[in-house]
Amino acid sequence: MERKSFQLGDIVQMKKNHPCGSNEMEIIRMGMDIRIKCVGCKHSVLIPRAKFEKNMKKVIRSAEPSNLPNLTGEGPLSE
């Protein structure tokens, strides 16, 4: 079975709805445990990674690329 890929800041759809009615969660912490925040009511929950991977349906929106400085030597930050 292929491992589900997700990253910090992604909005994911879970198999079961949160009690507020929303099934969209934002990943706000990753490690052995995953902290997710309900998009509807902003309540956060810490769950083990294995349980999270089992209950996650799909990634709805991937996190935007971070605003890291341009280190390629091109663009406005190069001198």
Side-chain angles (χ1 to χ4, degrees):
M1 179 190 274
E2 184 179 325
R3 234 181 140 148
K4 298 177 182 177
S5 65
F6 49 88
Q7 61 184 1
L8 193 64
D10 285 354
I11 305 292
V12 297
Q13 182 179 16
M14 303 302 283
K15 287 183 180 176
K16 292 184 178 180
N17 288 351
H18 190 252
C20 75
S22 175
N23 65 349
E24 293 183 7
M25 301 282 191
E26 178 184 1
I27 300 172
I28 58 174
R29 179 183 178 273
M30 289 179 58
M32 282 304 294
D33 297 322
I34 308 279
R35 183 170 296 276
I36 54 177
K37 180 170 67 172
C38 178
V39 173
C41 68
K42 308 293 187 218
H43 184 261
S44 70
V45 180
L46 185 67
I47 58 175
R49 179 181 284 266
K51 187 173 180 182
F52 172 79
E53 288 178 354
K54 180 182 162 212
N55 291 330
M56 184 184 87
K57 222 180 211 182
K58 64 181 178 181
V59 175
I60 297 173
R61 285 187 304 274
S62 191
E64 287 87 32
S66 60
N67 296 328
L68 296 175
N70 185 357
L71 301 176
T72 60
E74 301 172 1
L77 293 179
S78 62
E79 308 213 6

